[in-house]
Amino acid sequence: MTADERAMQELTQVIGRFATPTIVVGKETLLGFAANRRRIEELLQ
């Protein structure tokens, strides 16, 4: 098991699940990068 795999295992034991990536651009908060990629790109132009 690599160091990354051990770290991920530790996180899931402590937190119970992985956090959803969140980005705030201006007054918009977007949850999940892949699902909001197009909107993120629009806001960052």
Side-chain angles (χ1 to χ4, degrees):
M1 183 179 293
T2 67
D4 285 342
E5 291 169 330
R6 281 193 302 275
M8 289 176 67
Q9 188 176 35
E10 274 184 45
L11 278 174
T12 55
Q13 288 174 353
V14 172
I15 298 172
R17 61 184 172 83
F18 288 102
T20 301
T22 305
I23 187 169
V24 177
V25 181
K27 293 183 179 183
E28 289 191 47
T29 302
L30 304 162
L31 301 174
F33 294 151
N36 293 299
R37 182 178 178 202
R38 184 176 298 146
R39 183 64 183 142
I40 292 168
E41 288 173 348
E42 290 171 357
L43 291 169
L44 293 177
Q45 288 183 358

